[in-house]
Amino acid sequence: MIVKPTKRSALLAGLLLALTAHANASSKHTTKRTVKKTTHAGIHKVALKSDDGLGEFANFTQWKDVAEFIDLMVDRHGFDRAELESLFKKARYVETTIQLIKPAPPGKPKNWRAYRARFVEPLRINAGVAFWDAHADALARAEEQYGVPAEIIVGIIGVETIYGRNTGSFRVLDALTTLAFDYPATSNRTSRMQFFRSELEQTLLFARDSHIDPLSLLGSYAGAVGLPQFMPGSIRKFAVDFDGDGMVDLRNSPVDAIGSVAHFLVEHGWQRGEPIAFPAIVSQTEPGRAWDMFIGQPLEAKFTLDELKGAGVTPGKEPPADLQFGLVDLQNGEEPTEYWLGTTNFFAITKYNRSFFYAMSVVELGRAVRTARGG
């Protein structure tokens, strides 16, 4: 039975509600109901915004997909269900990761020179010199063992974290859980959620194997960890104990980071002794711009020099004829695009980050550090 309130009872109820709201607002320990209320996997999701800035309480164990993930971890890997449920009750929803992972808005032209200026600059160059000087022996050993030049390893760690100065302050469990189960609406949402669920799985396995608290892992908004910013799956697959202390530690061991970067590149196709890239000029008079066929191809070197020349691509410096290449276009906003011929080694760097801008920044930062050292 529904009882219709009188005017007086309604007035008293409104006054009580106002007093309660005022008391709640005055309490510095009170959490606030968040603006985020959405439907996910057929259930209502309510997060509570935390005053400490670390994210929002979401009670992930009430999410259908998270419950199924816990089932998988119990069945596939023998995790204790109660421990996982307790862990995910502590995980938080991080809206910042959602905003940062979203693709850039369309229409803004890419600008290689602006991108380069963020990474090939005095702070990173000077820090790179200090890092190389401090770890010259480990870099030389990695170069000898894996065939990856020291300057490429230095370039990657410099671009990623300024040699450990900025390794990220997000709790990895929070970031990955958020992205694994509430990735923003994009054309590749399903595949990206699968990727982040896999990385969440690898995080829990890595933490168990390493005897560390999963909540203690800090990293980037996308869950990358340590000086070289390896995703948890890459840590388990490619990281190495290069300092010989019996454990892999990419958060605190620069030497492990050096060896792990070199090992990663070799596992992704790096060829000892081969060059990386050659500047190129594309013909603007070729009928139909035949070289356009080489733009937007998969990230691999699979075209011969004769094929490229036949389509109007001229190398600025003649590379070895027996290598294969991909055509790299570095767009410069309203200015002319810069073109390069990338070898297998160039494309090995893109496996670290699937971006021509990234790979070329690594190459140029490493070269700048080497030059600053007088090498």
Side-chain angles (χ1 to χ4, degrees):
M1 181 175 65
I2 299 176
V3 179
K4 185 176 180 180
T6 65
K7 288 184 179 180
R8 182 178 179 183
S9 65
L11 180 62
L12 290 173
L15 179 61
L16 179 60
L17 181 62
L19 291 172
T20 302
H22 177 73
N24 286 344
S26 301
S27 173
K28 66 180 179 180
H29 299 295
T30 301
T31 57
K32 302 185 225 177
R33 291 230 174 244
T34 133
V35 293
K36 187 166 187 70
K37 287 188 180 182
T38 58
T39 300
H40 179 82
I43 66 169
H44 197 55
K45 167 178 87 179
V46 178
L48 295 176
K49 190 178 180 69
S50 168
D51 288 332
D52 58 16
L54 294 178
E56 301 169 355
F57 297 102
N59 196 1
F60 280 113
T61 57
Q62 299 300 310
W63 296 25
K64 179 176 179 291
D65 288 353
V66 176
E68 291 176 352
F69 177 81
I70 290 174
D71 288 342
L72 178 147
M73 296 302 293
V74 171
D75 295 341
R76 181 182 294 177
H77 301 295
F79 278 84
D80 182 88
R81 183 181 302 279
E83 290 180 1
L84 284 185
E85 289 176 348
S86 175
L87 180 66
F88 279 105
K89 284 179 181 178
K90 298 174 185 176
R92 300 183 181 182
Y93 185 97
V94 187
E95 178 67 25
T96 306
T97 69
I98 299 296
Q99 299 307 318
L100 291 174
I101 207 75
K102 288 180 178 178
K108 186 175 181 180
K110 296 180 180 180
N111 192 314
W112 156 237
R113 292 174 188 169
Y115 184 97
R116 180 189 186 278
R118 292 166 48 198
F119 299 104
V120 188
E121 45 81 31
L123 173 64
R124 275 183 168 83
I125 293 171
N126 293 334
V129 170
F131 182 85
W132 197 328
D133 288 345
H135 304 291
D137 290 345
L139 287 162
R141 182 158 55 91
E143 186 165 348
E144 173 64 26
Q145 182 171 333
Y146 294 107
V148 179
E151 67 189 76
I152 297 300
I153 301 171
V154 168
I156 285 178
I157 298 176
V159 168
E160 291 291 343
T161 63
I162 320 180
Y163 310 99
R165 296 187 186 186
N166 183 16
T167 58
S169 58
F170 291 86
R171 290 199 313 193
V172 170
L173 186 77
D174 296 339
L176 291 179
T177 303
T178 301
L179 295 172
F181 300 105
D182 199 30
Y183 195 87
T186 58
S187 59
N188 62 346
R189 183 175 191 262
T190 299
S191 63
R192 296 305 287 163
M193 289 176 74
Q194 290 174 346
F195 169 76
F196 284 111
R197 289 182 195 188
S198 174
E199 290 299 332
L200 182 58
E201 177 181 5
Q202 294 299 317
T203 298
L204 295 174
L205 291 168
F206 169 67
R208 184 173 69 177
D209 293 346
S210 303
H211 306 290
I212 60 176
D213 179 358
L215 293 171
S216 72
L217 280 173
L218 302 181
S220 75
Y221 69 87
V225 175
L227 278 79
Q229 293 291 274
F230 272 25
M231 293 299 289
S234 289
I235 296 176
R236 298 193 73 229
K237 192 171 183 180
F238 303 114
V240 296
D241 172 21
F242 206 56
D243 62 11
D245 68 351
M247 61 182 293
V248 173
D249 185 0
L250 301 185
R251 295 183 291 171
N252 302 298
S253 172
V255 175
D256 281 0
I258 287 167
S260 297
V261 168
H263 183 235
F264 179 97
L265 291 175
V266 168
E267 290 296 311
H268 287 85
W270 187 275
Q271 299 298 307
R272 181 187 295 266
E274 286 192 3
I276 298 172
F278 298 86
I281 300 172
V282 297
S283 171
Q284 300 298 332
T285 59
E286 284 287 325
R289 290 166 46 115
W291 49 266
D292 266 345
M293 66 177 289
F294 300 114
I295 301 296
Q297 293 285 334
L299 297 177
E300 57 182 318
K302 61 178 182 178
F303 302 108
T304 67
L305 192 56
D306 286 343
E307 287 176 313
L308 289 156
K309 286 182 175 180
V313 181
T314 304
K317 175 185 176 183
E318 193 69 13
D322 59 341
L323 296 181
Q324 290 188 309
F325 306 90
L327 184 59
V328 175
D329 60 323
L330 303 178
Q331 300 171 42
N332 272 316
E334 302 300 325
E335 299 299 317
T337 297
E338 193 174 307
Y339 294 93
W340 291 76
L341 296 180
T343 69
T344 296
N345 285 349
F346 179 87
F347 288 100
I349 301 173
T350 68
K351 301 305 188 294
Y352 210 104
N353 183 314
R354 299 177 66 83
S355 162
F356 287 166
F357 282 13
Y358 174 87
M360 192 59 73
S361 290
V362 164
V363 171
E364 297 206 2
L365 175 60
R367 184 183 300 143
V369 173
R370 183 193 66 196
T371 300
R373 291 186 78 240

